[in-house]
Amino acid sequence: ETHLIPMTQLFGPHLDLLQLATIHPTEDRAGLESYVERLRAFPKQVDQIIGLMQRGIEKGMVGAKLNFAAILEQVRAQSSPDSSPLLRPFEGREDDLDGIETIASAAESALSEAVAPAYAKLAEFIEKEYLPRCRDVVGVHALPRGEEIYGRLTVRCTTTELSPDEIHKIGLDEVDRIQSEMARVIDQVGCTGGLKAFTEHLRGRPELHFESADAVLDGFRTVLDAVQEKLPLLFGHLPKAGFEVWPIEDYRAANAPDAYYMPPAGERAGVFYANTYRPRSRPGYTMEALAYHEAVPGHHLQIAVAQEIEGLPEFRKHGVFPAYAEGWALYSERLPREIGFYQDPYSEFGRLTMEIWRAARLVVDTGIHDKGWTHEQAVEFLLSETALSRHNVVAEVDRYICMPAQALAYKIGELRISEIRRRAEAATTDFDLRGFHDRLLALGGAPLDLLESWMEQWIDGG
């Protein structure tokens, strides 16, 4: 019944509508007219969302107060037509499309008559009816049948039968292992005082952070251009679809993670969204790992390859199996190291920072939703065990609260993929890395046990 909590501060109808301004086809008259129709339909969607939330109130299935306070601010910001980005498809156009002024006028009317009032209605409902009934306890264990719900979500996101206790223990063990690797890098750069002192040293060095939003985007583009040239060293087959680097939109950036990826659709390229909000709070030394995870050889390469496999069922091309997809992306963070990247020890430390973050997620997510941790406990654990900034840590904990178990997929999937590779390397004296990766990606989306049997066939046949 988690569908009765249909919004988060990261995703939901209140944000999806705004994204139409950048992803809806608006090159011709038909596209623009369809766009206006979708704006006009938004009040109906809002009524449906409110209906779900009202049923949630009746059943005690409500969101965390912490999350919905942030959602309320997002919705309020769109309650006035003057603040909306939804007229951007009509701004600065240089074409002479017949009737565009009429369509633009229709869009303005839709915005003032339908969209803005719908946002205002949603904001009023959240503020007066929903938020007062939201739960103060952040974990889903506080919901009716919360333990059962978290167990189901854990199975779905990891595609394993691991229990929350087992996952919590794996996370603690991985944190210890990665911290020992971080200690070696700290010794390499000649710093003393251990991980905590080095972490504070990094957080206090402005030259290791971005100066501007443009610097964030330029940095990611430079890193991705370099790694794309060397991808043939790791893969025999590469996708035809390309990707672009865009900033995360202003209306969602404050509550968004450092980056995320949107797959290609039709003629539209994939998009690597980088967060340029408060650039001076964002470390440049994690840039390589983040770029490799979200774009290539991570999400973009894996998803674009799957979409282009002939004869593959559509649910395998486009369906989401979190442990496979996120496990591959985390595995991909390390992969460029094998072909000469991460030359700077600070970037190598950044890679380990990203990896320990995913290990610590196992501890924090199970801590919040299974063991009753508070928001403050989760924040303090991440601050003490990782090198993430406080801004990132708070945003991440807020994310784990509103997306229970999703954060478990990364490390569980990466550990399984890495173990499969170790078995493949041990089975032959002439290991074919490119063939291994091509086989791994040729399956499309799948649970981990199916992936394992698929790869065992290749290993046994090789």
Side-chain angles (χ1 to χ4, degrees):
E1 295 181 340
T2 53
H3 69 288
L4 299 180
I5 309 174
M7 302 170 67
T8 76
Q9 72 274 23
L10 301 176
F11 304 103
H14 64 304
L15 298 175
D16 294 343
L17 180 78
L18 303 176
Q19 200 164 34
L20 287 181
T22 53
I23 67 172
H24 190 287
T26 54
E27 292 81 14
D28 56 22
R29 184 184 182 91
L32 288 170
E33 289 176 340
S34 173
Y35 179 78
V36 174
E37 289 176 8
R38 295 181 77 171
L39 298 183
R40 284 281 181 192
F42 185 57
K44 181 177 181 180
Q45 186 180 29
V46 165
D47 287 343
Q48 293 170 340
I49 292 298
I50 289 174
L52 286 175
M53 295 164 76
Q54 287 172 328
R55 287 171 55 195
I57 291 172
E58 295 168 3
K59 294 176 176 289
M61 189 67 61
V62 292
K65 189 166 291 185
L66 176 147
N67 294 137
F68 271 86
I71 293 169
L72 177 58
E73 293 307 308
Q74 292 173 329
V75 175
R76 277 177 176 160
Q78 303 304 323
S79 298
S80 168
D82 297 334
S83 62
S84 176
L86 287 167
L87 293 180
R88 286 178 187 167
F90 301 93
E91 295 172 356
R93 293 185 71 119
E94 297 180 356
D95 54 36
D96 55 354
L97 185 66
D98 183 43
I100 190 169
E101 292 183 0
T102 301
I103 305 173
S105 178
E108 291 175 356
S109 297
L111 193 59
S112 62
E113 297 169 5
V115 173
Y119 272 114
K121 180 179 181 179
L122 182 57
E124 183 178 19
F125 170 78
I126 293 173
E127 180 181 12
K128 295 183 178 178
E129 297 187 44
Y130 194 78
L131 194 57
R133 295 176 173 86
C134 282
R135 64 183 198 270
D136 292 312
V137 178
V138 292
V140 294
H141 64 85
L143 293 173
R145 302 191 314 281
E147 183 177 342
E148 175 190 341
I149 289 170
Y150 189 60
R152 290 203 310 267
L153 291 172
T154 297
V155 170
R156 177 185 178 276
C157 290
T158 68
T159 60
T160 72
E161 296 298 326
L162 291 168
S163 70
D165 280 341
E166 290 171 318
I167 292 170
H168 195 84
K169 175 66 164 54
I170 291 169
L172 290 171
D173 290 345
E174 280 291 283
V175 167
D176 287 343
R177 179 188 66 79
I178 299 164
Q179 283 181 347
S180 67
E181 292 191 36
M182 297 172 100
R184 286 194 288 272
V185 178
I186 294 170
D187 290 341
Q188 180 185 348
V189 298
C191 289
T192 59
L195 177 60
K196 187 172 183 179
F198 187 64
T199 297
E200 292 304 315
H201 167 70
L202 292 178
R203 289 171 179 158
R205 289 186 60 182
E207 72 273 18
L208 295 177
H209 296 71
F210 293 103
E211 292 185 356
S212 66
D214 286 342
V216 175
L217 300 176
D218 291 343
F220 280 120
R221 288 168 180 146
T222 298
V223 165
L224 289 167
D225 285 346
V227 77
Q228 284 195 96
E229 291 183 6
K230 292 193 174 183
L231 287 180
L233 297 175
L234 299 170
F235 304 91
H237 174 73
L238 295 172
K240 299 182 182 68
F243 67 91
E244 299 170 352
V245 179
W246 292 3
I248 293 176
E249 301 93 340
D250 292 344
Y251 57 80
R252 73 166 86 221
N255 301 110
D258 277 350
Y260 59 86
Y261 171 73
M262 176 181 289
E267 296 182 0
R268 178 175 55 76
V271 180
F272 166 39
Y273 281 98
N275 201 330
T276 59
Y277 175 74
R278 292 179 58 184
R280 287 182 172 82
S281 72
R282 303 191 182 279
Y285 52 86
T286 60
M287 179 176 59
E288 278 195 71
L290 191 57
Y292 304 147
H293 180 106
E294 300 294 347
V296 290
H299 282 317
H300 174 72
L301 193 147
Q302 180 260 310
I303 292 172
V305 165
Q307 289 184 352
E308 295 171 12
I309 298 173
E310 293 185 6
L312 195 69
E314 291 300 308
F315 79 93
R316 292 271 293 283
K317 291 184 179 184
H318 305 288
V320 178
F321 293 85
Y324 172 82
E326 298 297 354
W328 169 261
L330 180 51
Y331 168 84
S332 294
E333 290 180 22
R334 184 176 67 248
L335 202 50
R337 191 169 182 263
E338 301 180 36
I339 55 172
F341 292 90
Y342 293 111
Q343 290 298 308
D344 180 357
Y346 286 101
S347 286
E348 172 63 7
F349 188 85
R351 181 188 72 78
L352 293 169
T353 295
M354 299 291 281
E355 186 179 6
I356 201 169
W357 168 29
R358 276 43 170 270
R361 282 177 174 178
L362 303 185
V363 181
V364 170
D365 196 278
T366 52
I368 290 169
H369 297 295
D370 183 65
K371 301 182 182 305
W373 284 21
T374 65
H375 183 273
E376 292 73 22
Q377 282 177 284
V379 167
E380 287 307 312
F381 182 86
L382 285 178
L383 285 175
S384 65
E385 303 297 332
T386 76
L388 295 171
S389 70
R390 175 171 285 275
H391 176 80
N392 283 355
V393 163
V394 172
E396 283 299 312
V397 171
D398 292 354
R399 167 188 170 186
Y400 308 150
I401 291 168
C402 71
M403 299 175 67
Q406 189 270 345
L408 307 179
Y410 301 69
K411 203 54 168 120
I412 297 301
E414 180 266 331
L415 287 170
R416 184 71 65 88
I417 290 171
S418 296
E419 175 57 29
I420 293 169
R421 175 169 168 179
R422 281 192 289 271
R423 293 206 299 268
E425 290 174 328
T428 177
T429 56
D430 187 23
F431 176 65
D432 178 8
L433 181 59
R434 299 201 317 162
F436 174 81
H437 290 148
D438 287 349
R439 172 76 177 186
L440 197 71
L441 297 180
L443 182 63
L448 291 180
D449 57 351
L450 179 57
L451 175 68
E452 193 163 8
S453 63
W454 168 260
M455 293 308 297
E456 289 291 351
Q457 296 171 16
W458 182 82
I459 294 169
D460 294 342

